[in-house]
Structure formats: C-alpha cells, structure tokens
C-alpha cells in the first residue's frame, strides 16, 4: 500500500498494490496498521456506507458538524467518479479551497478525508458504486452542506451543468460565505 499526501494537508491518497495473474487481481484494500503508521494517529472506522448512482449524479457537498464530524475513506467499487473535498477548517491556510481527484474501479485509489472537510462527488461513468468508511456515526441533526455551484468555490465538476442530476436537499445548501463553520 502506497500513501501520498495531497496539496491540502490531511488529505491522503491511498494506492493499494495489485497482484495480477491469469485469474484477475488481488489487493489489500485497507490495512489499519500501515495506514495508522503513515497517519501518525489512530483511526476507528465504525460505519461503512455505499451508494450507486448513474452518470451525472452529484452527491454533496456534505459534512457533519461537531461533535459528529466524520473522517472518511472513499473508494469506488464500480465505475468512475470525480471526488471533491472543500477545506472548512477556519484556522487552515487552505480554508475555502477545494481538492478533486478521479477515483475508479481500475486504479482502486482511495481518498482519506479527515474531519474538517465538506465532501461530494459526481459520477463520470454510466454507473458508479461508491463506498466509504467513517469514524463517527451519522447524526441527521448534525448534517450540513455547501452549494455545489458556489462561485467562490469555483469547482470544475468535469461535466456540463445541464447533465448534472442533484436532489432538492443538496440544491438547498447555502454558499460557503453564508455558513458558520464551528
């Protein structure tokens, strides 16, 4: 397993090593000991979520307020997505900046997103199945989100706006400057 630090501190790209032969491939998709060694701290995933979506579906940008904030390890089981995170840590010099990466079922790369980031993704393939482990339980009263199309964030979602499919709840989220991040 290879770990790569991203341009926004705390984000980590995890690249599992694939062992290929005539049968297909094998990979360790997660090794707690190696990951914690690289991270320099413990991580206790307690819930795993999965979604399946069609081309153009945008989910996000979501986050949980304290004390229910969550770190996430995002992976794609089928298809391809553009995974996007926004730094919402007030004391960060990257506050309000975003990072994006394509994740797919070929490279099997994963993205670790620590607490203090809003997260979302858009499906770039016909179908995508996304899975993510979290280190805190979901609490509906703590759920928040950001407007995916906020001009301040200026996120390039990689597809035409007319092709984006988003639900009413995600459309209702406020712009970055309207939210009081705690």
């Amino acid at each position: 397993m290879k770990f790569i630090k991203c341009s926004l501190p705390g984000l980590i790209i995890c690249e599992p090593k694939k062992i290929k032969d005539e049968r297909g491939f094998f990979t360790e998709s997660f090794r707690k000991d190696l990951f914690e060694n690289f991270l320099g701290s413990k991580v206790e995933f307690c819930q795993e979520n999965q979604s399946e979506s069609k081309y153009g579906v945008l989910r996000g940008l979501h986050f949980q307020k304290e004390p229910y904030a969550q770190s996430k390890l995002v992976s794609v089981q089928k298809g391809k997505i553009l995974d996007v995170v926004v730094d919402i840590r007030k004391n960060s010099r990257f506050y309000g900046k975003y990072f994006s990466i394509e994740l797919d079922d070929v490279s099997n790369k994963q993205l670790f997103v620590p607490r203090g980031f809003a997260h979302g993704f858009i499906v770039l393939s016909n179908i995508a199945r996304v899975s993510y482990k979290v280190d805190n339980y979901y609490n509906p009263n703590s759920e928040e989100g950001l407007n995916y199309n906020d001009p301040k964030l200026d996120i390039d979602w990689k597809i035409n706006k007319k092709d984006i499919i988003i639900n009413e709840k995600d459309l209702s989220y406020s712009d970055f400057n309207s939210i009081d991040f705690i």
Side-chain angles (χ1 to χ4, degrees):
M1 178 94 44
K2 181 178 174 184
F3 302 106
I4 303 163
K5 292 181 180 182
C6 299
S7 56
L8 296 183
L11 298 176
I12 300 168
I13 299 169
C14 306
E15 290 185 358
K17 179 181 176 185
K18 278 188 177 179
I19 301 167
K20 297 178 185 181
D21 64 20
E22 66 279 355
R23 300 170 294 172
F25 75 88
F26 170 84
T27 188
E28 287 181 342
S29 58
F30 179 70
R31 278 276 307 260
K32 183 178 168 81
D33 60 340
L34 297 178
F35 185 67
E36 287 179 341
N37 222 13
F38 183 83
L39 196 58
S41 62
K42 295 281 185 194
V43 64
E44 298 294 334
F45 294 123
C46 61
Q47 180 177 322
E48 187 163 5
N49 306 310
Q50 191 173 83
S51 68
E52 185 170 284
S53 308
K54 61 185 180 179
Y55 175 81
V57 167
L58 190 151
R59 295 181 183 262
L61 296 157
H62 306 136
F63 62 95
Q64 295 264 121
K65 296 181 288 188
E66 291 292 353
Y68 300 99
Q70 298 173 323
S71 294
K72 300 175 181 176
L73 181 61
V74 183
S75 61
V76 174
Q77 309 305 308
K78 177 182 181 180
K80 181 178 177 180
I81 66 168
L82 178 71
D83 205 44
V84 176
V85 293
V86 177
D87 191 338
I88 59 173
R89 302 170 296 182
K90 278 192 169 180
N91 295 328
S92 169
R93 67 184 180 109
F94 297 97
Y95 181 68
K97 302 295 183 205
Y98 82 91
F99 174 85
S100 65
I101 183 172
E102 289 185 8
L103 301 176
D104 60 48
D105 62 356
V106 176
S107 71
N108 295 116
K109 288 181 184 176
Q110 302 168 45
L111 181 64
F112 176 72
V113 182
R115 295 174 186 207
F117 287 84
H119 173 259
F121 65 86
I122 194 163
V123 178
L124 302 177
S125 55
N126 287 335
I127 295 285
R129 185 171 302 131
V130 178
S131 176
Y132 56 97
K133 297 169 176 46
V134 294
D135 68 351
N136 205 352
Y137 295 108
Y138 170 73
N139 181 292
N141 297 324
S142 178
E143 183 179 21
E144 269 289 349
L146 293 174
N147 174 2
Y148 83 98
N149 200 28
D150 183 342
K152 182 210 182 309
L153 300 176
D154 194 29
I155 297 170
D156 179 1
W157 290 98
K158 304 290 184 197
I159 68 171
N160 290 326
K161 187 175 178 182
K162 68 176 181 56
D163 293 329
I164 294 176
I165 302 166
I166 188 167
N167 70 11
E168 289 299 319
K169 182 178 176 183
D170 288 356
L171 277 174
S172 72
Y173 290 134
S174 299
D175 286 347
F176 185 85
N177 288 333
S178 303
I179 298 175
D180 184 26
F181 301 105
I182 301 171

